[in-house]
PDB file of all heavy atoms in Angstrom:
ATOM      1  N   GLU P 370       2.947   2.042  28.637  1.00 96.00           N
ATOM      2  CA  GLU P 370       1.922   2.720  29.420  1.00 96.00           C
ATOM      3  C   GLU P 370       0.919   1.720  29.999  1.00 96.00           C
ATOM      4  O   GLU P 370       0.542   1.799  31.178  1.00 96.00           O
ATOM      5  CB  GLU P 370       1.197   3.758  28.564  1.00 96.00           C
ATOM      6  CG  GLU P 370       0.202   4.600  29.343  1.00 96.00           C
ATOM      7  CD  GLU P 370      -0.432   5.689  28.515  1.00 96.00           C
ATOM      8  OE1 GLU P 370      -0.070   5.820  27.310  1.00 96.00           O
ATOM      9  OE2 GLU P 370      -1.282   6.423  29.043  1.00 96.00           O
ATOM     10  N   ASP P 371       0.486   0.763  29.182  1.00 96.00           N
ATOM     11  CA  ASP P 371      -0.457  -0.249  29.662  1.00 96.00           C
ATOM     12  C   ASP P 371       0.173  -1.109  30.748  1.00 96.00           C
ATOM     13  O   ASP P 371      -0.470  -1.444  31.748  1.00 96.00           O
ATOM     14  CB  ASP P 371      -0.911  -1.142  28.504  1.00 96.00           C
ATOM     15  CG  ASP P 371      -1.906  -0.441  27.592  1.00 96.00           C
ATOM     16  OD1 ASP P 371      -2.551   0.515  28.058  1.00 96.00           O
ATOM     17  OD2 ASP P 371      -2.038  -0.857  26.429  1.00 96.00           O
ATOM     18  N   LEU P 372       1.426  -1.486  30.545  1.00 97.00           N
ATOM     19  CA  LEU P 372       2.119  -2.319  31.528  1.00 97.00           C
ATOM     20  C   LEU P 372       2.215  -1.610  32.871  1.00 97.00           C
ATOM     21  O   LEU P 372       1.958  -2.202  33.936  1.00 97.00           O
ATOM     22  CB  LEU P 372       3.514  -2.670  31.021  1.00 97.00           C
ATOM     23  CG  LEU P 372       4.368  -3.565  31.919  1.00 97.00           C
ATOM     24  CD1 LEU P 372       3.764  -4.960  32.033  1.00 97.00           C
ATOM     25  CD2 LEU P 372       5.796  -3.643  31.393  1.00 97.00           C
ATOM     26  N   MET P 373       2.556  -0.337  32.845  1.00 97.00           N
ATOM     27  CA  MET P 373       2.737   0.419  34.078  1.00 97.00           C
ATOM     28  C   MET P 373       1.411   0.720  34.781  1.00 97.00           C
ATOM     29  O   MET P 373       1.330   0.705  36.004  1.00 97.00           O
ATOM     30  CB  MET P 373       3.477   1.733  33.776  1.00 97.00           C
ATOM     31  CG  MET P 373       4.904   1.537  33.295  1.00 97.00           C
ATOM     32  SD  MET P 373       5.624   3.052  32.615  1.00 97.00           S
ATOM     33  CE  MET P 373       5.648   4.093  34.054  1.00 97.00           C
ATOM     34  N   GLU P 374       0.373   0.974  34.002  1.00 96.00           N
ATOM     35  CA  GLU P 374      -0.897   1.392  34.596  1.00 96.00           C
ATOM     36  C   GLU P 374      -1.839   0.231  34.894  1.00 96.00           C
ATOM     37  O   GLU P 374      -2.575   0.259  35.891  1.00 96.00           O
ATOM     38  CB  GLU P 374      -1.594   2.386  33.663  1.00 96.00           C
ATOM     39  CG  GLU P 374      -0.848   3.712  33.530  1.00 96.00           C
ATOM     40  CD  GLU P 374      -1.589   4.711  32.660  1.00 96.00           C
ATOM     41  OE1 GLU P 374      -2.678   4.362  32.149  1.00 96.00           O
ATOM     42  OE2 GLU P 374      -1.072   5.833  32.489  1.00 96.00           O
ATOM     43  N   LYS P 375      -1.815  -0.810  34.035  1.00 97.00           N
ATOM     44  CA  LYS P 375      -2.788  -1.892  34.176  1.00 97.00           C
ATOM     45  C   LYS P 375      -2.171  -3.183  34.696  1.00 97.00           C
ATOM     46  O   LYS P 375      -2.867  -4.000  35.316  1.00 97.00           O
ATOM     47  CB  LYS P 375      -3.462  -2.160  32.829  1.00 97.00           C
ATOM     48  CG  LYS P 375      -4.297  -0.990  32.333  1.00 97.00           C
ATOM     49  CD  LYS P 375      -4.822  -1.237  30.931  1.00 97.00           C
ATOM     50  CE  LYS P 375      -5.669  -0.043  30.480  1.00 97.00           C
ATOM     51  NZ  LYS P 375      -5.868   0.003  29.042  1.00 97.00           N
ATOM     52  N   GLY P 376      -0.894  -3.376  34.417  1.00 97.00           N
ATOM     53  CA  GLY P 376      -0.256  -4.622  34.790  1.00 97.00           C
ATOM     54  C   GLY P 376      -0.106  -5.549  33.604  1.00 97.00           C
ATOM     55  O   GLY P 376      -0.282  -5.154  32.450  1.00 97.00           O
ATOM     56  N   TYR P 377       0.187  -6.801  33.913  1.00 98.00           N
ATOM     57  CA  TYR P 377       0.500  -7.764  32.843  1.00 98.00           C
ATOM     58  C   TYR P 377      -0.557  -8.870  32.840  1.00 98.00           C
ATOM     59  O   TYR P 377      -1.752  -8.588  32.731  1.00 98.00           O
ATOM     60  CB  TYR P 377       1.923  -8.269  33.030  1.00 98.00           C
ATOM     61  CG  TYR P 377       2.466  -9.078  31.880  1.00 98.00           C
ATOM     62  CD1 TYR P 377       2.305  -8.656  30.563  1.00 98.00           C
ATOM     63  CD2 TYR P 377       3.159 -10.260  32.109  1.00 98.00           C
ATOM     64  CE1 TYR P 377       2.802  -9.393  29.507  1.00 98.00           C
ATOM     65  CE2 TYR P 377       3.679 -11.008  31.056  1.00 98.00           C
ATOM     66  CZ  TYR P 377       3.496 -10.576  29.753  1.00 98.00           C
ATOM     67  OH  TYR P 377       3.991 -11.308  28.718  1.00 98.00           O
ATOM     68  N   MET P 378      -0.180 -10.113  33.022  1.00 98.00           N
ATOM     69  CA  MET P 378      -1.140 -11.209  32.914  1.00 98.00           C
ATOM     70  C   MET P 378      -2.195 -11.180  34.017  1.00 98.00           C
ATOM     71  O   MET P 378      -3.303 -11.678  33.838  1.00 98.00           O
ATOM     72  CB  MET P 378      -0.419 -12.548  32.909  1.00 98.00           C
ATOM     73  CG  MET P 378       0.244 -12.911  31.591  1.00 98.00           C
ATOM     74  SD  MET P 378      -0.898 -12.949  30.182  1.00 98.00           S
ATOM     75  CE  MET P 378      -1.963 -14.317  30.634  1.00 98.00           C
ATOM     76  N   GLU P 379      -1.881 -10.591  35.141  1.00 98.00           N
ATOM     77  CA  GLU P 379      -2.891 -10.474  36.195  1.00 98.00           C
ATOM     78  C   GLU P 379      -4.077  -9.627  35.715  1.00 98.00           C
ATOM     79  O   GLU P 379      -5.242  -9.900  36.058  1.00 98.00           O
ATOM     80  CB  GLU P 379      -2.278  -9.886  37.469  1.00 98.00           C
ATOM     81  CG  GLU P 379      -1.892  -8.423  37.429  1.00 98.00           C
ATOM     82  CD  GLU P 379      -0.524  -8.146  36.805  1.00 98.00           C
ATOM     83  OE1 GLU P 379       0.011  -9.017  36.097  1.00 98.00           O
ATOM     84  OE2 GLU P 379      -0.010  -7.030  37.033  1.00 98.00           O
ATOM     85  N   PHE P 380      -3.794  -8.604  34.909  1.00 98.00           N
ATOM     86  CA  PHE P 380      -4.859  -7.788  34.329  1.00 98.00           C
ATOM     87  C   PHE P 380      -5.705  -8.603  33.359  1.00 98.00           C
ATOM     88  O   PHE P 380      -6.940  -8.467  33.327  1.00 98.00           O
ATOM     89  CB  PHE P 380      -4.253  -6.579  33.610  1.00 98.00           C
ATOM     90  CG  PHE P 380      -5.244  -5.789  32.803  1.00 98.00           C
ATOM     91  CD1 PHE P 380      -6.097  -4.889  33.420  1.00 98.00           C
ATOM     92  CD2 PHE P 380      -5.317  -5.932  31.424  1.00 98.00           C
ATOM     93  CE1 PHE P 380      -7.017  -4.155  32.674  1.00 98.00           C
ATOM     94  CE2 PHE P 380      -6.233  -5.214  30.681  1.00 98.00           C
ATOM     95  CZ  PHE P 380      -7.085  -4.321  31.308  1.00 98.00           C
ATOM     96  N   VAL P 381      -5.048  -9.451  32.575  1.00 98.00           N
ATOM     97  CA  VAL P 381      -5.755 -10.259  31.581  1.00 98.00           C
ATOM     98  C   VAL P 381      -6.687 -11.260  32.266  1.00 98.00           C
ATOM     99  O   VAL P 381      -7.853 -11.413  31.876  1.00 98.00           O
ATOM    100  CB  VAL P 381      -4.748 -10.990  30.667  1.00 98.00           C
ATOM    101  CG1 VAL P 381      -5.478 -11.840  29.635  1.00 98.00           C
ATOM    102  CG2 VAL P 381      -3.832  -9.986  29.972  1.00 98.00           C
ATOM    103  N   VAL P 382      -6.184 -11.948  33.295  1.00 98.00           N
ATOM    104  CA  VAL P 382      -7.018 -12.911  34.012  1.00 98.00           C
ATOM    105  C   VAL P 382      -8.171 -12.203  34.706  1.00 98.00           C
ATOM    106  O   VAL P 382      -9.314 -12.681  34.699  1.00 98.00           O
ATOM    107  CB  VAL P 382      -6.172 -13.719  35.019  1.00 98.00           C
ATOM    108  CG1 VAL P 382      -7.047 -14.702  35.794  1.00 98.00           C
ATOM    109  CG2 VAL P 382      -5.059 -14.480  34.300  1.00 98.00           C
ATOM    110  N   GLN P 383      -7.893 -11.054  35.302  1.00 98.00           N
ATOM    111  CA  GLN P 383      -8.961 -10.297  35.952  1.00 98.00           C
ATOM    112  C   GLN P 383     -10.027  -9.887  34.943  1.00 98.00           C
ATOM    113  O   GLN P 383     -11.231  -9.935  35.237  1.00 98.00           O
ATOM    114  CB  GLN P 383      -8.384  -9.068  36.646  1.00 98.00           C
ATOM    115  CG  GLN P 383      -9.389  -8.319  37.509  1.00 98.00           C
ATOM    116  CD  GLN P 383      -9.822  -9.128  38.719  1.00 98.00           C
ATOM    117  OE1 GLN P 383      -9.001  -9.498  39.551  1.00 98.00           O
ATOM    118  NE2 GLN P 383     -11.109  -9.423  38.808  1.00 98.00           N
ATOM    119  N   LYS P 384      -9.601  -9.489  33.743  1.00 98.00           N
ATOM    120  CA  LYS P 384     -10.558  -9.101  32.704  1.00 98.00           C
ATOM    121  C   LYS P 384     -11.436 -10.294  32.323  1.00 98.00           C
ATOM    122  O   LYS P 384     -12.661 -10.134  32.107  1.00 98.00           O
ATOM    123  CB  LYS P 384      -9.812  -8.577  31.475  1.00 98.00           C
ATOM    124  CG  LYS P 384     -10.713  -8.121  30.325  1.00 98.00           C
ATOM    125  CD  LYS P 384     -11.571  -6.932  30.716  1.00 98.00           C
ATOM    126  CE  LYS P 384     -12.380  -6.413  29.537  1.00 98.00           C
ATOM    127  NZ  LYS P 384     -11.535  -5.720  28.538  1.00 98.00           N
ATOM    128  N   ALA P 385     -10.846 -11.483  32.265  1.00 98.00           N
ATOM    129  CA  ALA P 385     -11.624 -12.678  31.951  1.00 98.00           C
ATOM    130  C   ALA P 385     -12.679 -12.942  33.025  1.00 98.00           C
ATOM    131  O   ALA P 385     -13.834 -13.259  32.721  1.00 98.00           O
ATOM    132  CB  ALA P 385     -10.705 -13.883  31.794  1.00 98.00           C
ATOM    133  N   ILE P 386     -12.288 -12.803  34.277  1.00 98.00           N
ATOM    134  CA  ILE P 386     -13.237 -13.000  35.385  1.00 98.00           C
ATOM    135  C   ILE P 386     -14.333 -11.943  35.335  1.00 98.00           C
ATOM    136  O   ILE P 386     -15.527 -12.251  35.459  1.00 98.00           O
ATOM    137  CB  ILE P 386     -12.491 -12.968  36.728  1.00 98.00           C
ATOM    138  CG1 ILE P 386     -11.543 -14.157  36.843  1.00 98.00           C
ATOM    139  CG2 ILE P 386     -13.479 -12.973  37.891  1.00 98.00           C
ATOM    140  CD1 ILE P 386     -10.599 -14.093  38.029  1.00 98.00           C
ATOM    141  N   ASP P 387     -13.943 -10.691  35.139  1.00 98.00           N
ATOM    142  CA  ASP P 387     -14.914  -9.603  35.087  1.00 98.00           C
ATOM    143  C   ASP P 387     -15.852  -9.734  33.888  1.00 98.00           C
ATOM    144  O   ASP P 387     -16.968  -9.178  33.903  1.00 98.00           O
ATOM    145  CB  ASP P 387     -14.197  -8.253  35.025  1.00 98.00           C
ATOM    146  CG  ASP P 387     -13.428  -7.940  36.305  1.00 98.00           C
ATOM    147  OD1 ASP P 387     -13.692  -8.601  37.330  1.00 98.00           O
ATOM    148  OD2 ASP P 387     -12.552  -7.052  36.263  1.00 98.00           O
ATOM    149  N   SER P 388     -15.405 -10.466  32.850  1.00 97.00           N
ATOM    150  CA  SER P 388     -16.238 -10.677  31.661  1.00 97.00           C
ATOM    151  C   SER P 388     -17.159 -11.882  31.802  1.00 97.00           C
ATOM    152  O   SER P 388     -17.893 -12.204  30.858  1.00 97.00           O
ATOM    153  CB  SER P 388     -15.350 -10.837  30.419  1.00 97.00           C
ATOM    154  OG  SER P 388     -14.591  -9.662  30.183  1.00 97.00           O
ATOM    155  N   GLY P 389     -17.084 -12.547  32.952  1.00 96.00           N
ATOM    156  CA  GLY P 389     -18.043 -13.605  33.224  1.00 96.00           C
ATOM    157  C   GLY P 389     -17.502 -15.018  33.212  1.00 96.00           C
ATOM    158  O   GLY P 389     -18.245 -15.970  33.480  1.00 96.00           O
ATOM    159  N   PHE P 390     -16.223 -15.188  32.900  1.00 96.00           N
ATOM    160  CA  PHE P 390     -15.652 -16.532  32.973  1.00 96.00           C
ATOM    161  C   PHE P 390     -15.585 -16.980  34.429  1.00 96.00           C
ATOM    162  O   PHE P 390     -15.341 -16.170  35.342  1.00 96.00           O
ATOM    163  CB  PHE P 390     -14.244 -16.561  32.377  1.00 96.00           C
ATOM    164  CG  PHE P 390     -14.202 -16.630  30.875  1.00 96.00           C
ATOM    165  CD1 PHE P 390     -13.762 -15.550  30.128  1.00 96.00           C
ATOM    166  CD2 PHE P 390     -14.599 -17.775  30.214  1.00 96.00           C
ATOM    167  CE1 PHE P 390     -13.714 -15.605  28.748  1.00 96.00           C
ATOM    168  CE2 PHE P 390     -14.558 -17.858  28.821  1.00 96.00           C
ATOM    169  CZ  PHE P 390     -14.127 -16.763  28.087  1.00 96.00           C
ATOM    170  N   ASP P 391     -15.783 -18.275  34.653  1.00 97.00           N
ATOM    171  CA  ASP P 391     -15.582 -18.838  35.984  1.00 97.00           C
ATOM    172  C   ASP P 391     -14.156 -18.538  36.423  1.00 97.00           C
ATOM    173  O   ASP P 391     -13.210 -18.740  35.644  1.00 97.00           O
ATOM    174  CB  ASP P 391     -15.815 -20.347  35.941  1.00 97.00           C
ATOM    175  CG  ASP P 391     -15.475 -21.005  37.259  1.00 97.00           C
ATOM    176  OD1 ASP P 391     -16.279 -20.914  38.189  1.00 97.00           O
ATOM    177  OD2 ASP P 391     -14.349 -21.583  37.340  1.00 97.00           O
ATOM    178  N   PRO P 392     -13.941 -18.051  37.648  1.00 98.00           N
ATOM    179  CA  PRO P 392     -12.594 -17.657  38.071  1.00 98.00           C
ATOM    180  C   PRO P 392     -11.565 -18.776  37.997  1.00 98.00           C
ATOM    181  O   PRO P 392     -10.418 -18.528  37.595  1.00 98.00           O
ATOM    182  CB  PRO P 392     -12.812 -17.193  39.515  1.00 98.00           C
ATOM    183  CG  PRO P 392     -14.224 -16.748  39.566  1.00 98.00           C
ATOM    184  CD  PRO P 392     -14.967 -17.675  38.645  1.00 98.00           C
ATOM    185  N   VAL P 393     -11.953 -19.988  38.382  1.00 98.00           N
ATOM    186  CA  VAL P 393     -10.993 -21.094  38.297  1.00 98.00           C
ATOM    187  C   VAL P 393     -10.654 -21.388  36.844  1.00 98.00           C
ATOM    188  O   VAL P 393      -9.491 -21.622  36.490  1.00 98.00           O
ATOM    189  CB  VAL P 393     -11.533 -22.352  39.003  1.00 98.00           C
ATOM    190  CG1 VAL P 393     -10.612 -23.542  38.759  1.00 98.00           C
ATOM    191  CG2 VAL P 393     -11.694 -22.097  40.498  1.00 98.00           C
ATOM    192  N   ALA P 394     -11.655 -21.351  35.961  1.00 97.00           N
ATOM    193  CA  ALA P 394     -11.405 -21.558  34.538  1.00 97.00           C
ATOM    194  C   ALA P 394     -10.479 -20.474  33.983  1.00 97.00           C
ATOM    195  O   ALA P 394      -9.600 -20.756  33.162  1.00 97.00           O
ATOM    196  CB  ALA P 394     -12.721 -21.578  33.767  1.00 97.00           C
ATOM    197  N   ALA P 395     -10.670 -19.233  34.445  1.00 98.00           N
ATOM    198  CA  ALA P 395      -9.815 -18.133  33.984  1.00 98.00           C
ATOM    199  C   ALA P 395      -8.367 -18.374  34.393  1.00 98.00           C
ATOM    200  O   ALA P 395      -7.440 -18.130  33.610  1.00 98.00           O
ATOM    201  CB  ALA P 395     -10.323 -16.811  34.543  1.00 98.00           C
TER     202      ALA P 395
END
Side-chain angles (χ1 to χ4, degrees):
E370 185 176 358
D371 285 338
L372 181 66
M373 294 168 64
E374 293 183 359
K375 295 174 179 162
Y377 190 46
M378 283 303 295
E379 71 277 18
F380 171 79
V381 180
V382 179
Q383 188 67 60
K384 181 64 175 288
I386 294 171
D387 294 344
S388 298
F390 280 111
D391 174 78
V393 173

